[in-house]
Amino acid sequence: MNFIFEFLKKFPKSFSTILGATILLTSLSLLSKGVGFFREIIIANNFGISDKYDIFLVSSTIPLILNTTALYLGQNYFIPAYSSLINENKESKKNFFTSTFLFFSLIGIILTTILYLISPLLMKFYINKTDPESISLAVKLLRIYLFTVPSSFGLAIISAYHQVKYNYKIPGYIQLGANVIILLIIILFSELLAVYVIPFAFLAGVTIQFVVLIFSVRGDLSFGLNYGLIKYHWSTNFLTISLIEIITISFVFVDRYFYGAVNPGGIASLNYAQTIYLLPISIIVLSFSTVLLPKFSNSFAEGDFELLQKRFSYAIYFIMLVFIPLTLLLAAHSEIIIKLVFQRGEFTNDATRQTSSLLSVLSLSFIFYAVYGILNKLMLSMKLTKQLLIIVVVSLFAKFIFNKLLVPIYFEEALALTTVAVFVIISIAAAIIISFRSKIKMPLKYMLKFLFAFGFSATASLALAHLVNLILYEQILRSIIQILLFIIFYSLFAFTVIPVTIRKQISGFIAFNNK
């Protein structure tokens, strides 16, 4: 195994630069998301929107939140803490790495043990059904998935350790390899293991990833746990930022609590719709906002609010430019998209209709979610973490209350509607707080111009598409032509209503060549 790490360290050398590392991470992220997306297509083919897949989604919620939390905690805590040890000797740094790794792994083991023991009670409360078979299945699936938690807590620290040493290749390649293994297990063993194949595949993937990563740092690990070193680097700001991320992830926990109140397959349909919905968010917004954070932070630290306003405005222009057409694409053509991506095998016409209606609703929050991604980084850079925490806490409770009121009437569509409502509330609240606490304002004038371009383009493309409909009878072909017409009109009108200076600034900002 050693020759693999030597190869990864040496090839390619260009990835040691910042630009090279960015290209590498983006490429690996896209590949991993591509493998994950293909995994969802295979799952849709094998399980559709069956009740058993619903139960798996519900039972996997707690381990999923814990594993994602471990990743955020590892990055937000370990990287800045380890970086502060720049003047310490090599042995002190190793001690801190070992102590943090053992502490996180121990937390993972304790949480897994507690949740394993109380899993029957947990699933009885969470499933909201008296059917003993459903509860029994949920308990078994939860217990299998829980065994991924200790490894996830440990590998979160090892991955952060590689990142802080600018060694991006090893964790990136290993993550991609683990995703491929998960995909292959689901493809090869679905018939044999039925729905159990999904948690077993994730357990195998995470375990292999953990073992390989342990091997990659074998020379830097010992067996001494110094809790004092860990406690010394805890900070209120770190805990606040971590809570913000954890609560945002917990929106899915609130939705899946209503499993027993929605139509059969409702949770599965919502999950498939969110898979499509979150794909551009995760690729475009998360990557873009991650690069924005240091830019915003530098401008705020220097007190250059004029530059901060420019950078913020250009970021909003870019988000509007990209996500307005995506909103129409998902809202107007959700059924065609779901049919092309998922409809095969166990994923039937009924599943397509149920999922596409949820995707259409979710798409209404597209722009708000994307704008919130920018506002989130701006608030963090301006040290408004407590205010941001209050916003997400209130939104979490609001989502639960909205679900409680609307799910008995609208079932799973209520879960999508409350998601829209939450991101509208979060984005507006964040914009208001930023406006009151600083001189930074939303660029409403040009946002309205984008909306004008959107409305005019949509009307023109729909009018032409109606003429095309009189000639063509194939639904998919008609939809493709309508989409192409809209993109052409939107591109023309968007760049017509936006002044040349703004267009140049957006182009420059995307390339990050600005001051």
Side-chain angles (χ1 to χ4, degrees):
M1 191 181 287
N2 194 51
F3 78 94
I4 297 174
F5 296 114
E6 292 303 318
F7 174 78
L8 293 178
K9 288 176 183 177
K10 293 176 182 178
F11 177 78
K13 291 184 178 179
S14 62
F15 290 142
S16 60
T17 65
I18 294 174
L19 177 61
T22 303
I23 293 170
L24 173 68
L25 289 176
T26 303
S27 301
L28 288 174
S29 176
L30 286 172
L31 283 171
S32 289
K33 291 182 191 306
V35 172
F37 190 71
F38 188 64
R39 181 187 68 231
E40 292 300 313
I41 293 173
I42 297 300
I43 288 173
N45 176 77
N46 293 345
F47 303 105
I49 57 171
S50 64
D51 190 51
K52 288 184 178 179
Y53 185 53
D54 264 353
I55 291 172
F56 163 75
L57 290 171
V58 172
S59 63
S60 69
T61 305
I62 294 174
L64 181 64
I65 290 173
L66 288 175
N67 292 345
T68 310
T69 299
L71 181 64
Y72 281 119
L73 289 174
Q75 290 179 339
N76 290 338
Y77 168 73
F78 182 81
I79 291 176
Y82 189 90
S83 299
S84 69
L85 301 173
I86 189 169
N87 295 321
E88 299 291 332
N89 59 46
K90 191 175 180 180
E91 196 60 35
S92 297
K93 292 179 180 179
K94 282 187 177 182
N95 287 339
F96 177 69
F97 167 54
T98 296
S99 296
T100 310
F101 168 75
L102 293 175
F103 180 69
F104 266 66
S105 299
L106 184 61
I107 290 175
I109 292 169
I110 292 170
L111 288 172
T112 298
T113 304
I114 293 170
L115 290 170
Y116 188 93
L117 293 174
I118 66 169
S119 54
L121 293 174
L122 205 57
M123 288 298 98
K124 279 182 184 178
F125 168 77
Y126 206 41
I127 290 292
N128 280 327
K129 275 189 176 182
T130 54
D131 176 17
E133 287 186 13
S134 296
I135 294 171
S136 175
L137 176 62
V139 170
K140 291 174 183 176
L141 292 169
L142 171 60
R143 284 178 166 175
I144 297 167
Y145 214 132
L146 278 173
F147 283 108
T148 65
V149 173
S151 296
S152 295
F153 271 75
L155 66 84
I157 298 301
I158 301 176
S159 295
Y161 180 67
H162 278 298
Q163 290 169 20
V164 81
K165 295 172 78 70
Y166 305 109
N167 186 7
Y168 303 102
K169 298 187 292 294
I170 290 176
Y173 287 137
I174 293 171
Q175 173 68 57
L176 177 59
N179 284 342
V180 171
I181 289 169
I182 292 168
L183 174 63
L184 290 174
I185 291 174
I186 291 173
I187 292 173
L188 295 173
F189 297 103
S190 285
E191 281 192 31
L192 179 65
L193 298 175
V195 75
Y196 292 104
V197 73
I198 307 174
F200 272 124
F202 277 97
L203 177 58
V206 171
T207 303
I208 291 169
Q209 188 181 2
F210 178 72
V211 170
V212 177
L213 280 173
I214 282 281
F215 191 83
S216 72
V217 294
R218 62 197 182 283
D220 295 336
L221 279 175
S222 57
F223 293 97
L225 174 58
N226 187 337
Y227 178 68
L229 274 176
I230 299 167
K231 188 177 179 182
Y232 177 78
H233 292 281
W234 288 98
S235 69
T236 304
N237 190 55
F238 153 68
L239 291 173
T240 304
I241 293 172
S242 298
L243 274 174
I244 290 166
E245 300 291 353
I246 293 165
I247 292 168
T248 305
I249 299 164
S250 298
F251 287 159
V252 70
F253 182 88
V254 173
D255 282 342
R256 291 180 185 178
Y257 171 76
F258 291 89
Y259 157 74
V262 300
N263 290 316
I267 297 298
S269 294
L270 183 63
N271 180 71
Y272 291 125
Q274 287 173 334
T275 298
I276 301 287
Y277 169 78
L278 291 173
L279 192 62
I281 294 286
S282 60
I283 292 174
I284 299 171
V285 177
L286 293 184
S287 301
F288 191 50
S289 59
T290 299
V291 180
L292 280 173
L293 183 58
K295 292 282 182 180
F296 285 164
S297 298
N298 290 339
S299 298
F300 182 75
E302 293 167 3
D304 194 341
F305 287 96
E306 184 179 349
L307 181 58
L308 184 59
Q309 175 71 67
K310 282 183 180 180
R311 285 175 166 167
F312 172 63
S313 297
Y314 300 151
I316 296 298
Y317 298 154
F318 174 70
I319 289 297
M320 296 288 287
L321 185 67
V322 173
F323 279 88
I324 284 177
L326 283 175
T327 298
L328 180 70
L329 178 66
L330 292 187
H333 303 284
S334 59
E335 188 167 348
I336 295 298
I337 293 169
I338 297 298
K339 184 173 289 188
L340 289 173
V341 175
F342 291 126
Q343 190 174 312
R344 56 189 60 83
E346 295 296 317
F347 202 94
T348 62
N349 264 320
D350 290 337
T352 294
R353 284 192 292 271
Q354 189 171 346
T355 304
S356 62
S357 68
L358 296 176
L359 181 58
S360 295
V361 174
L362 285 172
S363 67
L364 300 177
S365 68
F366 228 168
I367 294 174
F368 293 99
Y369 195 159
V371 168
Y372 168 69
I374 305 301
L375 293 169
N376 175 285
K377 298 306 179 186
L378 183 59
M379 291 188 75
L380 291 177
S381 66
M382 296 173 68
K383 314 298 183 188
L384 298 175
T385 50
K386 290 182 180 178
Q387 291 85 347
L388 186 56
L389 178 61
I390 291 169
I391 289 173
V392 296
V393 169
V394 170
S395 299
L396 184 68
F397 281 106
K399 183 163 180 56
F400 181 80
I401 292 167
F402 290 158
N403 282 354
K404 198 76 173 171
L405 294 172
L406 297 176
V407 167
I409 304 170
Y410 299 106
F411 306 105
E412 61 272 10
E413 287 194 355
L415 302 180
L417 283 168
T418 58
T419 298
V420 174
V422 161
F423 282 111
V424 171
I425 292 168
I426 287 178
S427 57
I428 292 174
I432 291 171
I433 288 173
I434 290 169
S435 180
F436 274 105
R437 293 298 297 267
S438 71
K439 299 176 182 178
I440 308 300
K441 308 294 181 185
M442 292 291 290
L444 296 176
K445 177 182 175 182
Y446 288 104
M447 289 174 72
L448 290 173
K449 288 191 175 185
F450 274 110
L451 291 174
F452 169 77
F454 166 72
F456 199 93
S457 305
T459 304
S461 61
L462 286 171
L464 279 176
H466 182 69
L467 295 176
V468 173
N469 289 348
L470 299 176
I471 303 169
L472 297 174
Y473 297 97
E474 175 58 43
Q475 184 185 7
I476 294 177
L477 185 58
R478 290 204 312 259
S479 297
I480 291 171
I481 290 173
Q482 188 174 327
I483 291 167
L484 290 173
L485 285 170
F486 172 77
I487 291 171
I488 292 168
F489 278 112
Y490 180 76
S491 300
L492 290 172
F493 286 110
F495 281 90
T496 300
V497 300
I498 303 169
V500 176
T501 53
I502 299 297
R503 277 183 262 154
K504 287 181 178 179
Q505 291 290 2
I506 293 175
S507 300
F509 186 67
I510 293 169
F512 280 94
N513 292 323
N514 285 347
K515 173 183 170 184

